[in-house]
Each structure stands twice: as C-alpha cells, then as structure tokens.
Amino acid sequence: MNRLLWLAFAAFSAYAFWAVDLWPGRIWPGLGKLARISAELVPPDAGGQFLTLVFSLLETLGIALAATVMAAVLAFPLGLLGSAKVLPNWLWRWPLRRGMDLSRSIDALLWALLFVNAVGLGPFAGVMALMMVDLSTLAKLFSEAVDHSSPGPVEGVLAAGGNRWEVVRFGILPQVLPAFAAQALYYLESNVRHATILGVVGAGGIGMHLTDQLRVNEWQQVSMTILLILASVTAVDRLSRWARSELERGS
Amino acid sequence: MAHRALTIDGLRKAYGGKTVLDGVSFEVPAGQMVGIVGRSGAGKSTLLRCINRLVEADAGAIGWDGLDVRALQGGALLDWRARCGMIFQQFQLVDRMDALTNVLLGSVRRRRTLPLLFRVFPAADRAKALELLQQLDLGPQAGQTVKTLSGGQQQRVAIAKVLMQGVEVLLADEPVSSLDPENTRIVMDQLRHLQRTGGVTVLCNLHNLEVARSYCDRVLGLSQGRLVFDGSPQELTAGREESIYAGAR
C-alpha cells in the first residue's frame, strides 16, 4: 500500500515536470535577461511621478487598514457566536463555521476579480476582497480564542447571579480581547502586503502603477515603486510588532 | 414552612454513569457554619455547585426559606445565585480587571445590565466596594489588576465581592487549599466573622480537618457521594475520621 502511494506520487511528479516543461536548459536565456533587467533597475527613478506613487501607496495602506478594521469589527460578534461557550446550540454554529471555511478558501485575488466586476475598478473592490478573506479567518481565530478561554471567571460571574451578557462581558471578553487585538494587527501586516498586488487586477492602490510600469518596461520606475513598497511594509510590520508586544506586556 | 434553613433531601448526581452524589440529605439551620470534609472526589464540590445550580442535580430537593431551589428558572434562578454566594479554591475572579471592579461585580444582580456592560457603576456602589476592600486591608490594592495580587489577597477580594453581593448563604469550595497558614487564618477568620456578625449560613469544603475543627459549628463527612458523618467537631474522633477517609477505591 505504502509502495503504491510512493509510485503514484512519483508518477504524478513526473507528469507535473513534463506538463510545466521544467527543463534546466530553459533557465539560461532567462537568466541573461534577468541580468540585463537588473542592470536597468538602477538607479531607481520615479520618472517625475514620485508624489503620485506616494499617494497610491497611501491608498494601498488605506485599503489594508479599512479591510482589517471592517473584518475585525464584523468578526467580533461572529467569533463570539461561533463558540460553544457563548452559544451552545450547534445548529447555528455549524453553518456559520462551514460558511467561514468556504469564504476563506477563496484567495483574496479571486475575490478582488469578483468585486471589480461587481462594484467596478478601484480601491473599494480591494477593501471588500481583503475583508472577505479576513472576516472568515478572524472570526474563526476569535472563536477558537473564546473556546480556549479559562472557565474560572465565567464561574465567578455566574455564581454572583450574572446573566449571559454579563458572563460574556466579564467572564470571557477580558481574557480574549488582547488575543483578538494581536490577531487583528497580524492581519493588518499581511493585508498591507496583499494590498500591494490587488492593483494588478484593478482593485486600487500601488499595484496598478506597478503593472503599468512593467508593461512598458520602465525598469527604473519599477525599482523605485518596489523600494517604496518595501519601506512601507517594513514600517507597518515594525509598528504592528511593537503594538503586539505592548499588548502582551499589558495582559 | 418558613423556618430559615437550608434543606438538602436525597440529592443525586452522576456524570456519565459515575455516581458522584448518592442520595445526600441534611439540614442546616440559618446562621450555622458547616465544614464539609472528605477526600477529593467524594462529591464535595459537586454538592456545593448543585446548591447554586452551577451543576444540575439528577434527583432530590434543595430548599431555602420556602424556596424550591431546583425549580427556579430565569431571573428567579439568578436572584437565588445572588443570595447564595460562592468563593472558590482558584478564586475565579476576572483576573485581568482591577480589584474594585471585581468587588463591584458582586452587585451584578441589583443593577441594570447595560450600564454594567460599560463598567458604569453608581458612585454609592463604588464607595461601598472601596470600603469593603479597606475593611479587608486591601484599600491600596483597589486599582490593581487582580492577577498581580497574591493568592491570599485574591481570596480576600472574592470575600469582599460576596459581601457586596449581600449573601444569605455562602458556599466556600476549598477556599484555603491554595493558601499558606497565615492567609488561611485570615480567610477563615473572615468567614467566621461573616457568619457571626452577618448571620450568613456558611457551607465550607475543607481539605484540612484541623481547620474544620477550629472554625466550624458542625462537620459533615462525605465519602463516595454519601453522608457518612454529621456531628460536632468534638465528635469527630480519630476513629470517625478514618471512616470518612477509608473505604474509597
């Protein structure tokens, strides 16, 4: 049985190599071209469009921030309702969790294509696309944090005569809010990276300029754009890592 | 009917076929301090949790002052829990919030839910809670996050909370098992004080027989879900002691 599996694996790998025409000989001419492009990348130059680039980068950051905030706000109630500790009734939890699995399994870029068709070109489609993926992932992470919360404070509030609202507010929320915030920040970082390529399909932000520059072989502008993206991604990562470590210290 | 007493009659509870309470019956007149002893797994915690309905018993009756506790529903059940406070071995406080808020949560049943959810408490309540903390020598710690307090301090916050709650019955589930001798003395003195000056009926699960002997009016012994001893601390001789702790397994 084991051997059969290995055989199938080997056969499928061989097919894959053949199907994508993977051959060492193909990389050599490509390498030469890459070297020529690399030479043309320097020095980076905005081609007189520096401010335009900065503004569309800000738009990218805006897309990421708006998507994360909306996803976190919507995931908050869904995450609570998705946990057995808040809602013991599985009849509602099951479709909720499966629905979240479904929307998460579609990549943001695909959602972006769908939303560009639905609401037109521009950042709004990008925000909706990122939000669709994050909403389901954050809701799932939030419910897991609630599932794993300690029963102690819940018992303490119940024993004093607290109703279910008070149990959630004081028994559960203080335990899970720092985790919720840390996860939302992590998704903010990831969204900034994702938002830079959404422009490729017309969903707003810096990606739109990048595709244009690539199409017309403006390599110096490409390198300037990439440097700007690198700088902003690093800045957001640093900021969010700092905020997360502060959260951990505070909790 | 309305002689004030806590009556437990034929209480049974099983978890998945394993019997934890096997027909426990006793009556505690209001204002008595009762120690419940027995090895772990004897059903002590389950017994207390059946009384405030954190656990639902399978059969039997629980009564207090004419109240049929097992029949209570909705708001009436919450009212009962507010009258019947509980403190725990692991304190079960909201340990990421400050001591004062935890004490204020004792008033949860008397106040409207919405302001409470935003941690808005009446000034009079805040003053009362602070006063209670000061009585327990925790005035300076009122604003401190509970998880940064020592075990003894946390248990005193829990006591301030049930004082805020204004309980008639206090269920104490191993309240001193994770405390050192000094804090054990402080906490047990507080429970005794509550009973003597506040007329609170106290049911206290205890690991340590010496603590039960020196603080309780009456001792109940549980073994394998059955009541095997019911008498004064003086009657709890070495021989009787053995009968409580032997026989299991």
Side-chain angles (χ1 to χ4, degrees):
Chain A
M1 191 62 213
N2 223 339
R3 195 170 301 173
L4 211 67
L5 277 175
W6 276 112
L7 207 69
F9 176 70
F12 188 74
S13 301
Y15 166 76
F17 276 57
W18 173 77
V20 302
D21 201 6
L22 196 76
W23 192 249
R26 291 198 57 198
I27 194 68
W28 290 116
L31 276 182
K33 248 187 220 163
L34 262 181
R36 206 165 55 242
I37 291 171
S38 310
E40 283 179 44
L41 282 171
V42 284
D45 177 39
Q49 299 203 53
F50 189 76
L51 275 184
T52 318
L53 287 181
V54 168
F55 275 119
S56 60
L57 198 60
L58 282 178
E59 187 176 271
T60 298
L61 294 178
I63 292 172
L65 188 66
T68 315
V69 168
M70 275 174 65
V73 167
L74 293 175
F76 180 74
L78 288 180
L80 286 178
L81 294 175
S83 167
K85 292 213 171 163
V86 177
L87 211 68
N89 184 0
W90 65 272
L91 276 174
W92 139 264
R93 207 164 57 246
W94 191 83
L96 183 76
R97 289 212 161 173
R98 292 296 82 77
M100 294 193 293
D101 285 344
L102 189 73
S103 90
R104 192 170 59 246
S105 59
I106 300 175
D107 191 83
L109 214 55
L110 274 174
W111 279 118
L113 280 167
L114 285 173
F115 277 111
V116 163
N117 276 301
V119 301
L121 291 167
F124 184 66
V127 171
M128 292 305 289
L130 288 178
M131 197 202 71
M132 284 308 289
V133 180
D134 290 3
L135 172 58
S136 47
T137 318
L138 281 176
K140 189 184 167 77
L141 288 171
F142 287 2
S143 355
E144 279 170 1
V146 175
D147 284 343
H148 296 145
S149 65
S150 140
V154 171
E155 205 172 30
V157 178
L158 275 177
N163 61 29
R164 85 178 52 186
W165 296 100
E166 290 147 356
V167 165
V168 170
R169 172 66 185 88
F170 296 101
I172 296 175
L173 280 191
Q175 294 188 63
V176 298
L177 276 181
F180 282 14
Q183 281 155 349
L185 278 170
Y186 182 78
Y187 272 83
L188 178 65
E189 293 173 38
S190 140
N191 278 343
V192 170
R193 288 187 292 266
H194 267 108
T196 56
I197 54 163
L198 284 180
V200 174
V201 295
I206 191 87
M208 226 140 26
H209 293 279
L210 196 58
T211 2
D212 286 347
Q213 294 158 353
L214 283 166
R215 202 168 290 145
V216 296
N217 294 337
E218 287 283 3
W219 297 111
Q220 285 175 303
Q221 290 184 26
V222 168
S223 61
M224 176 55 92
T225 310
I226 289 175
L227 280 178
L228 283 172
I229 291 174
L230 268 178
S232 60
V233 167
T234 313
V236 171
D237 274 10
R238 285 268 168 89
L239 206 69
S240 138
R241 207 167 303 165
W242 170 80
R244 278 189 285 136
S245 72
E246 283 295 297
L247 272 173
E248 264 163 49
R249 185 137 36 109
S251 65
Chain B
M1 186 63 203
H3 72 296
R4 279 164 75 87
L6 182 71
T7 52
I8 309 293
D9 188 17
L11 206 63
R12 287 176 187 282
K13 175 69 186 176
Y15 287 108
K18 192 185 177 300
T19 302
V20 184
L21 292 176
D22 194 4
V24 174
S25 305
F26 59 88
E27 183 174 316
V28 180
Q32 201 170 49
M33 179 147 173
V34 178
I36 303 173
V37 298
R39 52 167 58 191
S40 48
K44 306 192 298 289
S45 288
T46 307
L47 173 62
L48 294 193
R49 282 172 170 76
C50 284
I51 295 174
N52 68 358
R53 300 267 304 274
L54 288 184
V55 166
E56 296 294 349
D58 297 333
I62 301 166
W64 169 255
D65 201 11
L67 206 65
D68 179 2
V69 170
R70 286 199 60 211
L72 298 173
Q73 296 280 339
L77 172 59
L78 302 187
D79 285 338
W80 164 239
R81 285 189 181 141
R83 292 166 69 186
C84 169
M86 189 164 192
I87 61 175
F88 305 82
Q89 178 178 1
Q90 292 306 326
F91 325 123
Q92 317 298 55
L93 298 166
V94 183
D95 60 2
R96 287 173 195 265
M97 285 187 172
D98 57 290
L100 192 75
T101 305
N102 271 279
V103 177
L104 283 163
L105 286 181
S107 69
V108 80
R109 192 63 198 143
R110 292 197 300 275
R111 300 290 167 239
R112 289 189 23 240
T113 299
L114 195 63
L116 216 69
L117 294 184
F118 292 96
R119 294 174 72 175
V120 176
F121 300 95
D125 281 8
R126 302 183 71 89
K128 168 112 186 279
L130 185 62
E131 194 188 305
L132 290 171
L133 281 173
Q134 278 161 348
Q135 275 173 31
L136 290 156
D137 289 327
L138 284 172
Q141 283 81 22
Q144 209 170 318
T145 306
V146 164
K147 77 190 304 190
T148 63
L149 300 175
S150 73
Q153 290 173 322
Q154 291 195 34
Q155 198 61 294
R156 277 184 278 155
V157 172
I159 290 172
K161 179 183 167 185
V162 295
L163 286 169
M164 187 78 195
Q165 207 169 319
V167 297
E168 299 162 26
V169 178
L170 179 62
L171 311 169
D173 188 18
E174 304 277 1
V176 293
S177 292
S178 46
L179 302 183
D180 59 43
E182 169 69 2
N183 278 301
T184 296
R185 195 183 57 72
I186 294 173
V187 166
M188 290 309 295
D189 280 348
Q190 279 300 328
L191 296 190
R192 195 64 164 154
H193 182 72
L194 225 81
Q195 177 235 352
R196 289 223 167 116
T197 61
V200 175
T201 310
V202 180
L203 264 67
C204 186
N205 287 347
L206 291 166
H207 227 68
N208 186 329
L209 277 178
E210 282 322 302
V211 175
R213 278 208 181 89
S214 40
Y215 284 96
C216 300
D217 304 318
R218 174 180 170 196
V219 177
L220 301 179
L222 274 185
S223 174
Q224 292 181 298
R226 294 206 181 130
L227 198 64
V228 294
F229 178 85
D230 181 355
S232 69
Q234 292 77 32
E235 292 173 271
L236 189 61
T237 56
R240 304 301 301 268
E241 215 176 277
E242 216 155 284
S243 72
I244 297 172
Y245 286 90
R249 259 160 257 285

